[in-house]
Amino acid sequence: MTGRLTIAGLGPGDAALVTPEVSAALREATDVLGYAPYVARVPAREGLRLHPSDNRMEVQRAGEALKLASEGHSVVIVSSGDPGVFAMAAAVFEALEAAPQWQDVAIRVLPGVTAMLAAAARAGAPLGHDFCAINLSDNLKPWAAIERRLRLAAEADFAIALYNPRSAGRPDGFGRALDILRDAGCGERIVIFAHAVTTPKERIETLSLKEARPEMADMATLVIIGNSATRKVGRWVYAPRRAS
Amino acid sequence: MTGRLTIAGLGPGDAALVTPEVSAALREATDVLGYAPYVARVPAREGLRLHPSDNRMEVQRAGEALKLASEGHSVVIVSSGDPGVFAMAAAVFEALEAAPQWQDVAIRVLPGVTAMLAAAARAGAPLGHDFCAINLSDNLKPWAAIERRLRLAAEADFAIALYNPRSAGRPDGFGRALDILRDAGCGERIVIFAHAVTTPKERIETLSLKEARPEMADMATLVIIGNSATRKVGRWVYAPRRAS
């Protein structure tokens, strides 16, 4: 019996944003692994084993999934949003590189609607021109690299999507990021705080960068900072296609 | 009768990547507008009027859609991928800003799986670390702005997704972009050419930037350039989460 490991994105929260491809993979699975709140989004059924685990257990979880697949199970690792964007896919390939005995496991990655796309859709079209995505978590990279990238992103006049802006364990980075962008002359830029997007707790706030305060964000918030030409029409925010 | 305008993303090509939310919007539509190859992906049915149009007709199409919605129709504008990424959403808000008579039309934007996410999933996890997306078309922005942004993206060590790398009308820009990135010291970086991703014509090619040639890309190609730490494990390409 040949197993398989599927790394699947559940989208930002609303079940109507789960792709049919991912739903089919979940229907065929014997085992689903992932961070507990994401596993909780998978409908339980007979014959399906759910393996919820804690945050920051990514590589261990990936190893466990590879082992189960190598034993013949049909395994799905779930991520929120897209599994390739600051999520489980990279962790699986790290685990695979460290464990040559699993090199022959059949793997596939199923994309999903990542948070910045859902947040942008709710706000209008702030990613309609060139943009970048930066993970503000410094659990795995030096904070200095984040600061440098923020400065260059401002200089390049990208719209900027900030993932994982702020958590209980990292209360200060987001405020520093806002200061860096204000120092880079971005104070008048439009900022979107998209909280728990596409869930019943969704809340979208739009203001200028100079008005933005760190406590407006938490781990369920996706922040988008417009480029220098981003503008409003009615309640909508968009990046003109002719921006420089 | 109140009309509505929905701007919907059809995903990269495979019907299994169309979200249930978008499928529902298409089932309820009276009118579907869009670039002809995208409208051709919408199943025909009685009572549904299809309005295919040419490329580069974005603002005219948006105006027509707003007008139909204001007359009480249930209108969907379709884009490939995600409508907010180098696609129709920004064009609709431009048209809306120019036409105050339509400010009261109910609008919603439905996100989709954009090409870079599908391409990344096929290749592994090249967008697992900070990344940017740059539209190489200079139809609406000066080429100098693109060059500057490429240089800064390389300096910031972003993975780089290039949309619309090359077309019959713009045969030379992509080659210049490759030269700029090689000059910026990125010659050893891994490049992924994802052609017609998730369609029967899909073809994924992985090589180093110094080996990349302009003619490897066309308008159906999404190009991803890894960051300086991007690596391979077996056939997979991924950005380590601990990259600087």
Side-chain angles (χ1 to χ4, degrees):
Chain A
M1 180 178 174
T2 310
R4 165 180 248 192
L5 174 54
T6 301
I7 311 157
L10 296 176
D14 185 344
L17 291 174
V18 181
T19 66
E21 182 178 65
V22 167
S23 295
L26 291 172
R27 278 195 303 275
E28 293 158 10
T30 58
D31 297 84
V32 171
L33 293 82
Y35 178 42
Y38 308 150
V39 172
R41 289 172 53 193
V42 175
R45 60 173 162 76
E46 201 163 344
L48 176 63
R49 286 179 298 269
L50 300 177
H51 307 255
S53 49
D54 282 345
N55 213 347
R56 300 209 195 176
M57 300 293 287
E58 289 86 358
V59 172
Q60 297 90 319
R61 182 190 301 144
E64 192 187 340
L66 285 162
K67 181 166 180 292
L68 283 166
S70 74
E71 292 166 358
H73 300 285
S74 181
V75 181
V76 177
I77 291 187
V78 289
S79 281
S80 180
D82 179 274
V85 175
F86 313 131
M88 279 304 297
V92 169
F93 295 115
E94 274 176 40
L96 187 67
E97 191 167 4
Q101 71 271 30
W102 292 321
Q103 303 285 340
D104 295 331
V105 170
I107 296 177
R108 59 181 183 155
V109 183
L110 306 185
V113 174
T114 184
M116 70 177 163
L117 301 183
R122 287 296 204 257
L127 305 180
H129 199 73
D130 301 336
F131 63 92
C132 65
I134 298 177
N135 183 355
L136 275 198
S137 168
D138 59 350
N139 291 336
L140 295 171
K141 62 184 169 182
W143 177 258
I146 297 175
E147 289 203 357
R148 187 166 169 277
R149 205 161 278 145
L150 285 167
R151 285 197 190 91
L152 289 163
E155 189 182 344
D157 204 5
F158 280 119
I160 303 170
L162 298 178
Y163 280 74
N164 304 317
R166 195 160 173 266
S167 70
R170 296 180 295 102
D172 301 326
F174 179 54
R176 285 151 72 186
L178 293 175
D179 287 341
I180 286 164
L181 295 171
R182 280 190 277 253
D183 288 348
C186 302
E188 300 301 323
R189 290 206 195 179
I190 295 174
V191 181
I192 299 152
F193 287 83
H195 179 81
V197 67
T198 82
T199 78
K201 293 181 178 169
E202 175 177 302
R203 199 176 64 242
I204 310 286
E205 243 179 318
T206 299
L207 66 174
S208 72
L209 184 63
K210 65 175 188 289
E211 299 167 306
R213 296 190 313 277
E215 59 274 21
M216 292 174 174
D218 62 19
M219 280 303 275
T221 309
L222 190 290
V223 178
I224 297 177
I225 296 146
N227 67 28
S228 61
T230 300
R231 47 195 292 117
K232 294 190 78 166
V233 50
R235 79 167 189 80
W236 300 101
V237 177
Y238 79 100
R241 298 172 308 145
R242 287 177 191 281
S244 62
Chain B
M1 181 180 173
T2 310
R4 167 180 248 191
L5 173 55
T6 301
I7 311 156
L10 296 175
D14 184 345
L17 291 174
V18 181
T19 66
E21 182 178 65
V22 167
S23 294
L26 292 171
R27 278 195 303 274
E28 293 158 10
T30 58
D31 296 83
V32 171
L33 292 83
Y35 177 43
Y38 308 149
V39 171
R41 289 172 52 191
V42 176
R45 60 174 162 75
E46 202 164 341
L48 176 64
R49 287 179 298 270
L50 300 177
H51 307 256
S53 49
D54 281 346
N55 212 347
R56 299 210 195 177
M57 300 293 288
E58 290 87 358
V59 172
Q60 296 91 317
R61 181 190 302 144
E64 192 187 341
L66 284 163
K67 181 167 181 294
L68 284 167
S70 74
E71 292 166 357
H73 299 285
S74 182
V75 181
V76 177
I77 292 188
V78 289
S79 283
S80 180
D82 180 274
V85 174
F86 313 131
M88 279 303 297
V92 168
F93 295 115
E94 274 176 41
L96 187 67
E97 192 168 4
Q101 71 271 28
W102 291 320
Q103 303 284 342
D104 295 332
V105 170
I107 296 176
R108 58 179 182 156
V109 183
L110 306 185
V113 174
T114 185
M116 70 177 163
L117 300 184
R122 287 296 203 258
L127 305 180
H129 200 74
D130 301 337
F131 63 92
C132 65
I134 298 177
N135 183 354
L136 274 199
S137 167
D138 59 349
N139 291 336
L140 295 171
K141 62 184 169 182
W143 177 257
I146 297 174
E147 290 202 356
R148 187 167 168 278
R149 205 161 277 144
L150 286 167
R151 284 196 190 91
L152 288 164
E155 190 182 342
D157 204 5
F158 280 120
I160 304 170
L162 297 177
Y163 280 74
N164 303 317
R166 195 159 174 266
S167 70
R170 297 180 294 102
D172 301 325
F174 180 54
R176 284 151 72 186
L178 292 176
D179 287 340
I180 286 164
L181 294 171
R182 280 188 277 252
D183 288 348
C186 302
E188 299 302 323
R189 290 205 197 180
I190 295 174
V191 181
I192 299 152
F193 287 83
H195 180 82
V197 66
T198 82
T199 78
K201 293 181 178 168
E202 175 176 302
R203 198 177 63 242
I204 310 285
E205 242 178 318
T206 300
L207 65 174
S208 72
L209 184 64
K210 65 175 190 289
E211 300 166 305
R213 296 190 314 277
E215 59 273 21
M216 292 174 175
D218 61 20
M219 280 303 274
T221 310
L222 190 291
V223 179
I224 297 177
I225 296 146
N227 66 28
S228 61
T230 299
R231 49 195 289 116
K232 295 190 79 167
V233 49
R235 77 166 190 82
W236 301 101
V237 177
Y238 79 100
R241 299 173 307 145
R242 288 176 191 279
S244 62

PDB file of all heavy atoms in Angstrom, chain A residues 104-138:
ATOM      1  N   ASP A 104      11.105   9.083  -0.957  1.00  0.00           N
ATOM      2  CA  ASP A 104      10.235   8.502  -1.978  1.00  0.00           C
ATOM      3  C   ASP A 104       8.740   8.675  -1.688  1.00  0.00           C
ATOM      4  O   ASP A 104       7.901   8.212  -2.468  1.00  0.00           O
ATOM      5  CB  ASP A 104      10.547   7.007  -2.142  1.00  0.00           C
ATOM      6  CG  ASP A 104      11.953   6.812  -2.691  1.00  0.00           C
ATOM      7  OD1 ASP A 104      12.424   7.718  -3.419  1.00  0.00           O
ATOM      8  OD2 ASP A 104      12.580   5.778  -2.387  1.00  0.00           O
ATOM      9  N   VAL A 105       8.404   9.318  -0.583  1.00  0.00           N
ATOM     10  CA  VAL A 105       6.985   9.544  -0.282  1.00  0.00           C
ATOM     11  C   VAL A 105       6.392  10.472  -1.350  1.00  0.00           C
ATOM     12  O   VAL A 105       6.986  11.480  -1.722  1.00  0.00           O
ATOM     13  CB  VAL A 105       6.824  10.183   1.118  1.00  0.00           C
ATOM     14  CG1 VAL A 105       5.386  10.649   1.351  1.00  0.00           C
ATOM     15  CG2 VAL A 105       7.252   9.204   2.212  1.00  0.00           C
ATOM     16  N   ALA A 106       5.226  10.095  -1.859  1.00  0.00           N
ATOM     17  CA  ALA A 106       4.548  10.950  -2.850  1.00  0.00           C
ATOM     18  C   ALA A 106       3.979  12.171  -2.133  1.00  0.00           C
ATOM     19  O   ALA A 106       3.208  12.034  -1.172  1.00  0.00           O
ATOM     20  CB  ALA A 106       3.434  10.166  -3.527  1.00  0.00           C
ATOM     21  N   ILE A 107       4.381  13.344  -2.609  1.00  0.00           N
ATOM     22  CA  ILE A 107       3.964  14.594  -1.965  1.00  0.00           C
ATOM     23  C   ILE A 107       3.256  15.455  -2.990  1.00  0.00           C
ATOM     24  O   ILE A 107       3.640  15.479  -4.157  1.00  0.00           O
ATOM     25  CB  ILE A 107       5.194  15.357  -1.417  1.00  0.00           C
ATOM     26  CG1 ILE A 107       5.878  14.549  -0.307  1.00  0.00           C
ATOM     27  CG2 ILE A 107       4.800  16.744  -0.903  1.00  0.00           C
ATOM     28  CD1 ILE A 107       7.142  15.204   0.234  1.00  0.00           C
ATOM     29  N   ARG A 108       2.221  16.158  -2.575  1.00  0.00           N
ATOM     30  CA  ARG A 108       1.666  17.211  -3.418  1.00  0.00           C
ATOM     31  C   ARG A 108       1.262  18.396  -2.538  1.00  0.00           C
ATOM     32  O   ARG A 108       0.915  18.229  -1.364  1.00  0.00           O
ATOM     33  CB  ARG A 108       0.486  16.709  -4.262  1.00  0.00           C
ATOM     34  CG  ARG A 108      -0.626  16.169  -3.441  1.00  0.00           C
ATOM     35  CD  ARG A 108      -1.788  15.647  -4.291  1.00  0.00           C
ATOM     36  NE  ARG A 108      -2.817  15.214  -3.363  1.00  0.00           N
ATOM     37  CZ  ARG A 108      -4.107  15.139  -3.627  1.00  0.00           C
ATOM     38  NH1 ARG A 108      -4.549  15.442  -4.850  1.00  0.00           N
ATOM     39  NH2 ARG A 108      -4.976  14.763  -2.724  1.00  0.00           N
ATOM     40  N   VAL A 109       1.337  19.568  -3.108  1.00  0.00           N
ATOM     41  CA  VAL A 109       0.965  20.798  -2.401  1.00  0.00           C
ATOM     42  C   VAL A 109      -0.267  21.366  -3.096  1.00  0.00           C
ATOM     43  O   VAL A 109      -0.268  21.541  -4.323  1.00  0.00           O
ATOM     44  CB  VAL A 109       2.111  21.836  -2.438  1.00  0.00           C
ATOM     45  CG1 VAL A 109       1.732  23.077  -1.635  1.00  0.00           C
ATOM     46  CG2 VAL A 109       3.423  21.244  -1.923  1.00  0.00           C
ATOM     47  N   LEU A 110      -1.335  21.621  -2.331  1.00  0.00           N
ATOM     48  CA  LEU A 110      -2.570  22.174  -2.901  1.00  0.00           C
ATOM     49  C   LEU A 110      -2.730  23.620  -2.438  1.00  0.00           C
ATOM     50  O   LEU A 110      -2.866  23.876  -1.248  1.00  0.00           O
ATOM     51  CB  LEU A 110      -3.774  21.337  -2.465  1.00  0.00           C
ATOM     52  CG  LEU A 110      -3.687  19.834  -2.755  1.00  0.00           C
ATOM     53  CD1 LEU A 110      -5.007  19.157  -2.377  1.00  0.00           C
ATOM     54  CD2 LEU A 110      -3.341  19.567  -4.213  1.00  0.00           C
ATOM     55  N   PRO A 111      -2.731  24.554  -3.389  1.00  0.00           N
ATOM     56  CA  PRO A 111      -2.761  25.964  -3.001  1.00  0.00           C
ATOM     57  C   PRO A 111      -4.107  26.365  -2.418  1.00  0.00           C
ATOM     58  O   PRO A 111      -5.109  25.659  -2.555  1.00  0.00           O
ATOM     59  CB  PRO A 111      -2.500  26.695  -4.323  1.00  0.00           C
ATOM     60  CG  PRO A 111      -3.000  25.768  -5.381  1.00  0.00           C
ATOM     61  CD  PRO A 111      -2.729  24.378  -4.856  1.00  0.00           C
ATOM     62  N   GLY A 112      -4.129  27.517  -1.790  1.00  0.00           N
ATOM     63  CA  GLY A 112      -5.358  28.055  -1.216  1.00  0.00           C
ATOM     64  C   GLY A 112      -5.358  29.571  -1.288  1.00  0.00           C
ATOM     65  O   GLY A 112      -4.377  30.176  -1.710  1.00  0.00           O
ATOM     66  N   VAL A 113      -6.453  30.168  -0.884  1.00  0.00           N
ATOM     67  CA  VAL A 113      -6.567  31.636  -0.869  1.00  0.00           C
ATOM     68  C   VAL A 113      -5.841  32.141   0.380  1.00  0.00           C
ATOM     69  O   VAL A 113      -6.299  31.921   1.498  1.00  0.00           O
ATOM     70  CB  VAL A 113      -8.039  32.079  -0.860  1.00  0.00           C
ATOM     71  CG1 VAL A 113      -8.143  33.590  -0.701  1.00  0.00           C
ATOM     72  CG2 VAL A 113      -8.735  31.635  -2.152  1.00  0.00           C
ATOM     73  N   THR A 114      -4.707  32.778   0.175  1.00  0.00           N
ATOM     74  CA  THR A 114      -3.931  33.265   1.311  1.00  0.00           C
ATOM     75  C   THR A 114      -4.563  34.538   1.879  1.00  0.00           C
ATOM     76  O   THR A 114      -5.285  35.267   1.176  1.00  0.00           O
ATOM     77  CB  THR A 114      -2.458  33.471   0.905  1.00  0.00           C
ATOM     78  OG1 THR A 114      -1.698  33.846   2.055  1.00  0.00           O
ATOM     79  CG2 THR A 114      -2.284  34.536  -0.156  1.00  0.00           C
ATOM     80  N   ALA A 115      -4.287  34.805   3.153  1.00  0.00           N
ATOM     81  CA  ALA A 115      -4.974  35.881   3.879  1.00  0.00           C
ATOM     82  C   ALA A 115      -4.899  37.232   3.178  1.00  0.00           C
ATOM     83  O   ALA A 115      -5.880  37.978   3.158  1.00  0.00           O
ATOM     84  CB  ALA A 115      -4.398  35.989   5.294  1.00  0.00           C
ATOM     85  N   MET A 116      -3.750  37.551   2.584  1.00  0.00           N
ATOM     86  CA  MET A 116      -3.659  38.901   1.997  1.00  0.00           C
ATOM     87  C   MET A 116      -4.624  39.073   0.824  1.00  0.00           C
ATOM     88  O   MET A 116      -5.110  40.174   0.584  1.00  0.00           O
ATOM     89  CB  MET A 116      -2.226  39.238   1.567  1.00  0.00           C
ATOM     90  CG  MET A 116      -1.715  38.489   0.376  1.00  0.00           C
ATOM     91  SD  MET A 116      -0.031  39.049  -0.091  1.00  0.00           S
ATOM     92  CE  MET A 116       0.436  37.652  -1.135  1.00  0.00           C
ATOM     93  N   LEU A 117      -4.914  37.994   0.091  1.00  0.00           N
ATOM     94  CA  LEU A 117      -5.851  38.113  -1.031  1.00  0.00           C
ATOM     95  C   LEU A 117      -7.272  38.332  -0.525  1.00  0.00           C
ATOM     96  O   LEU A 117      -8.032  39.137  -1.090  1.00  0.00           O
ATOM     97  CB  LEU A 117      -5.793  36.869  -1.919  1.00  0.00           C
ATOM     98  CG  LEU A 117      -4.439  36.537  -2.546  1.00  0.00           C
ATOM     99  CD1 LEU A 117      -4.570  35.324  -3.466  1.00  0.00           C
ATOM    100  CD2 LEU A 117      -3.864  37.724  -3.312  1.00  0.00           C
ATOM    101  N   ALA A 118      -7.645  37.623   0.537  1.00  0.00           N
ATOM    102  CA  ALA A 118      -8.986  37.805   1.112  1.00  0.00           C
ATOM    103  C   ALA A 118      -9.114  39.190   1.730  1.00  0.00           C
ATOM    104  O   ALA A 118     -10.140  39.866   1.566  1.00  0.00           O
ATOM    105  CB  ALA A 118      -9.248  36.715   2.154  1.00  0.00           C
ATOM    106  N   ALA A 119      -8.069  39.636   2.421  1.00  0.00           N
ATOM    107  CA  ALA A 119      -8.102  40.968   3.038  1.00  0.00           C
ATOM    108  C   ALA A 119      -8.196  42.040   1.959  1.00  0.00           C
ATOM    109  O   ALA A 119      -8.973  43.001   2.070  1.00  0.00           O
ATOM    110  CB  ALA A 119      -6.845  41.168   3.890  1.00  0.00           C
ATOM    111  N   ALA A 120      -7.404  41.872   0.905  1.00  0.00           N
ATOM    112  CA  ALA A 120      -7.421  42.850  -0.189  1.00  0.00           C
ATOM    113  C   ALA A 120      -8.804  42.908  -0.832  1.00  0.00           C
ATOM    114  O   ALA A 120      -9.323  43.989  -1.133  1.00  0.00           O
ATOM    115  CB  ALA A 120      -6.359  42.501  -1.226  1.00  0.00           C
ATOM    116  N   ALA A 121      -9.427  41.755  -1.031  1.00  0.00           N
ATOM    117  CA  ALA A 121     -10.754  41.711  -1.652  1.00  0.00           C
ATOM    118  C   ALA A 121     -11.786  42.448  -0.804  1.00  0.00           C
ATOM    119  O   ALA A 121     -12.644  43.160  -1.338  1.00  0.00           O
ATOM    120  CB  ALA A 121     -11.182  40.252  -1.860  1.00  0.00           C
ATOM    121  N   ARG A 122     -11.710  42.296   0.502  1.00  0.00           N
ATOM    122  CA  ARG A 122     -12.657  42.987   1.374  1.00  0.00           C
ATOM    123  C   ARG A 122     -12.470  44.498   1.314  1.00  0.00           C
ATOM    124  O   ARG A 122     -13.429  45.261   1.447  1.00  0.00           O
ATOM    125  CB  ARG A 122     -12.471  42.540   2.819  1.00  0.00           C
ATOM    126  CG  ARG A 122     -12.983  41.156   3.082  1.00  0.00           C
ATOM    127  CD  ARG A 122     -14.497  41.098   2.874  1.00  0.00           C
ATOM    128  NE  ARG A 122     -15.078  40.009   3.615  1.00  0.00           N
ATOM    129  CZ  ARG A 122     -15.466  38.854   3.093  1.00  0.00           C
ATOM    130  NH1 ARG A 122     -15.352  38.640   1.798  1.00  0.00           N
ATOM    131  NH2 ARG A 122     -15.987  37.915   3.863  1.00  0.00           N
ATOM    132  N   ALA A 123     -11.206  44.935   1.153  1.00  0.00           N
ATOM    133  CA  ALA A 123     -10.915  46.370   1.183  1.00  0.00           C
ATOM    134  C   ALA A 123     -11.070  47.021  -0.187  1.00  0.00           C
ATOM    135  O   ALA A 123     -11.259  48.223  -0.287  1.00  0.00           O
ATOM    136  CB  ALA A 123      -9.498  46.596   1.706  1.00  0.00           C
ATOM    137  N   GLY A 124     -10.958  46.249  -1.262  1.00  0.00           N
ATOM    138  CA  GLY A 124     -11.018  46.795  -2.613  1.00  0.00           C
ATOM    139  C   GLY A 124      -9.975  46.108  -3.483  1.00  0.00           C
ATOM    140  O   GLY A 124     -10.120  44.918  -3.788  1.00  0.00           O
ATOM    141  N   ALA A 125      -8.937  46.839  -3.852  1.00  0.00           N
ATOM    142  CA  ALA A 125      -7.863  46.239  -4.670  1.00  0.00           C
ATOM    143  C   ALA A 125      -6.519  46.867  -4.308  1.00  0.00           C
ATOM    144  O   ALA A 125      -5.817  47.388  -5.171  1.00  0.00           O
ATOM    145  CB  ALA A 125      -8.166  46.400  -6.157  1.00  0.00           C
ATOM    146  N   PRO A 126      -6.119  46.788  -3.043  1.00  0.00           N
ATOM    147  CA  PRO A 126      -4.840  47.405  -2.656  1.00  0.00           C
ATOM    148  C   PRO A 126      -3.613  46.660  -3.192  1.00  0.00           C
ATOM    149  O   PRO A 126      -2.515  47.209  -3.140  1.00  0.00           O
ATOM    150  CB  PRO A 126      -4.879  47.375  -1.123  1.00  0.00           C
ATOM    151  CG  PRO A 126      -5.774  46.223  -0.795  1.00  0.00           C
ATOM    152  CD  PRO A 126      -6.825  46.222  -1.878  1.00  0.00           C
ATOM    153  N   LEU A 127      -3.797  45.427  -3.698  1.00  0.00           N
ATOM    154  CA  LEU A 127      -2.674  44.684  -4.273  1.00  0.00           C
ATOM    155  C   LEU A 127      -2.774  44.658  -5.799  1.00  0.00           C
ATOM    156  O   LEU A 127      -2.273  43.749  -6.446  1.00  0.00           O
ATOM    157  CB  LEU A 127      -2.628  43.258  -3.703  1.00  0.00           C
ATOM    158  CG  LEU A 127      -2.570  43.151  -2.167  1.00  0.00           C
ATOM    159  CD1 LEU A 127      -2.535  41.691  -1.733  1.00  0.00           C
ATOM    160  CD2 LEU A 127      -1.355  43.899  -1.603  1.00  0.00           C
ATOM    161  N   GLY A 128      -3.398  45.668  -6.369  1.00  0.00           N
ATOM    162  CA  GLY A 128      -3.577  45.700  -7.824  1.00  0.00           C
ATOM    163  C   GLY A 128      -2.333  46.150  -8.578  1.00  0.00           C
ATOM    164  O   GLY A 128      -2.300  46.098  -9.805  1.00  0.00           O
ATOM    165  N   HIS A 129      -1.333  46.597  -7.831  1.00  0.00           N
ATOM    166  CA  HIS A 129      -0.053  46.985  -8.421  1.00  0.00           C
ATOM    167  C   HIS A 129       1.022  46.174  -7.687  1.00  0.00           C
ATOM    168  O   HIS A 129       0.721  45.411  -6.784  1.00  0.00           O
ATOM    169  CB  HIS A 129       0.137  48.494  -8.227  1.00  0.00           C
ATOM    170  CG  HIS A 129       1.138  49.095  -9.134  1.00  0.00           C
ATOM    171  ND1 HIS A 129       0.901  49.287 -10.481  1.00  0.00           N
ATOM    172  CD2 HIS A 129       2.389  49.546  -8.913  1.00  0.00           C
ATOM    173  CE1 HIS A 129       1.960  49.835 -11.030  1.00  0.00           C
ATOM    174  NE2 HIS A 129       2.883  49.997 -10.103  1.00  0.00           N
ATOM    175  N   ASP A 130       2.280  46.339  -8.055  1.00  0.00           N
ATOM    176  CA  ASP A 130       3.361  45.536  -7.463  1.00  0.00           C
ATOM    177  C   ASP A 130       3.321  45.582  -5.930  1.00  0.00           C
ATOM    178  O   ASP A 130       3.092  46.629  -5.338  1.00  0.00           O
ATOM    179  CB  ASP A 130       4.712  46.059  -7.957  1.00  0.00           C
ATOM    180  CG  ASP A 130       4.828  45.996  -9.478  1.00  0.00           C
ATOM    181  OD1 ASP A 130       4.127  45.172 -10.109  1.00  0.00           O
ATOM    182  OD2 ASP A 130       5.621  46.781 -10.039  1.00  0.00           O
ATOM    183  N   PHE A 131       3.571  44.426  -5.316  1.00  0.00           N
ATOM    184  CA  PHE A 131       3.454  44.354  -3.849  1.00  0.00           C
ATOM    185  C   PHE A 131       4.423  43.318  -3.282  1.00  0.00           C
ATOM    186  O   PHE A 131       5.000  42.513  -4.031  1.00  0.00           O
ATOM    187  CB  PHE A 131       2.013  44.004  -3.439  1.00  0.00           C
ATOM    188  CG  PHE A 131       1.545  42.654  -3.918  1.00  0.00           C
ATOM    189  CD1 PHE A 131       1.688  41.519  -3.132  1.00  0.00           C
ATOM    190  CD2 PHE A 131       0.957  42.520  -5.170  1.00  0.00           C
ATOM    191  CE1 PHE A 131       1.252  40.275  -3.576  1.00  0.00           C
ATOM    192  CE2 PHE A 131       0.523  41.279  -5.627  1.00  0.00           C
ATOM    193  CZ  PHE A 131       0.672  40.162  -4.828  1.00  0.00           C
ATOM    194  N   CYS A 132       4.579  43.352  -1.971  1.00  0.00           N
ATOM    195  CA  CYS A 132       5.399  42.338  -1.315  1.00  0.00           C
ATOM    196  C   CYS A 132       4.693  41.838  -0.064  1.00  0.00           C
ATOM    197  O   CYS A 132       3.738  42.455   0.419  1.00  0.00           O
ATOM    198  CB  CYS A 132       6.786  42.877  -0.973  1.00  0.00           C
ATOM    199  SG  CYS A 132       6.793  44.192   0.243  1.00  0.00           S
ATOM    200  N   ALA A 133       5.144  40.692   0.413  1.00  0.00           N
ATOM    201  CA  ALA A 133       4.591  40.070   1.620  1.00  0.00           C
ATOM    202  C   ALA A 133       5.744  39.789   2.572  1.00  0.00           C
ATOM    203  O   ALA A 133       6.730  39.148   2.189  1.00  0.00           O
ATOM    204  CB  ALA A 133       3.868  38.775   1.268  1.00  0.00           C
ATOM    205  N   ILE A 134       5.623  40.297   3.788  1.00  0.00           N
ATOM    206  CA  ILE A 134       6.688  40.150   4.787  1.00  0.00           C
ATOM    207  C   ILE A 134       6.087  39.546   6.046  1.00  0.00           C
ATOM    208  O   ILE A 134       5.071  40.016   6.552  1.00  0.00           O
ATOM    209  CB  ILE A 134       7.333  41.524   5.102  1.00  0.00           C
ATOM    210  CG1 ILE A 134       7.985  42.110   3.831  1.00  0.00           C
ATOM    211  CG2 ILE A 134       8.347  41.407   6.226  1.00  0.00           C
ATOM    212  CD1 ILE A 134       8.589  43.497   4.026  1.00  0.00           C
ATOM    213  N   ASN A 135       6.717  38.492   6.539  1.00  0.00           N
ATOM    214  CA  ASN A 135       6.322  37.858   7.793  1.00  0.00           C
ATOM    215  C   ASN A 135       7.030  38.600   8.925  1.00  0.00           C
ATOM    216  O   ASN A 135       8.257  38.599   8.984  1.00  0.00           O
ATOM    217  CB  ASN A 135       6.731  36.381   7.752  1.00  0.00           C
ATOM    218  CG  ASN A 135       6.304  35.615   8.984  1.00  0.00           C
ATOM    219  OD1 ASN A 135       5.776  36.190   9.934  1.00  0.00           O
ATOM    220  ND2 ASN A 135       6.532  34.313   8.960  1.00  0.00           N
ATOM    221  N   LEU A 136       6.278  39.240   9.804  1.00  0.00           N
ATOM    222  CA  LEU A 136       6.901  40.043  10.868  1.00  0.00           C
ATOM    223  C   LEU A 136       7.376  39.190  12.047  1.00  0.00           C
ATOM    224  O   LEU A 136       7.966  39.725  12.983  1.00  0.00           O
ATOM    225  CB  LEU A 136       5.939  41.120  11.379  1.00  0.00           C
ATOM    226  CG  LEU A 136       5.882  42.442  10.610  1.00  0.00           C
ATOM    227  CD1 LEU A 136       5.251  43.521  11.492  1.00  0.00           C
ATOM    228  CD2 LEU A 136       7.243  42.912  10.133  1.00  0.00           C
ATOM    229  N   SER A 137       7.119  37.898  12.005  1.00  0.00           N
ATOM    230  CA  SER A 137       7.606  37.056  13.102  1.00  0.00           C
ATOM    231  C   SER A 137       9.112  36.891  13.011  1.00  0.00           C
ATOM    232  O   SER A 137       9.648  36.506  11.971  1.00  0.00           O
ATOM    233  CB  SER A 137       6.951  35.679  13.049  1.00  0.00           C
ATOM    234  OG  SER A 137       7.633  34.800  13.934  1.00  0.00           O
ATOM    235  N   ASP A 138       9.805  37.179  14.111  1.00  0.00           N
ATOM    236  CA  ASP A 138      11.251  36.967  14.129  1.00  0.00           C
ATOM    237  C   ASP A 138      11.606  35.726  14.939  1.00  0.00           C
ATOM    238  O   ASP A 138      12.703  35.619  15.461  1.00  0.00           O
ATOM    239  CB  ASP A 138      11.987  38.211  14.648  1.00  0.00           C
ATOM    240  CG  ASP A 138      11.556  38.597  16.060  1.00  0.00           C
ATOM    241  OD1 ASP A 138      10.553  38.030  16.560  1.00  0.00           O
ATOM    242  OD2 ASP A 138      12.217  39.452  16.663  1.00  0.00           O
TER     243      ASP A 138
END
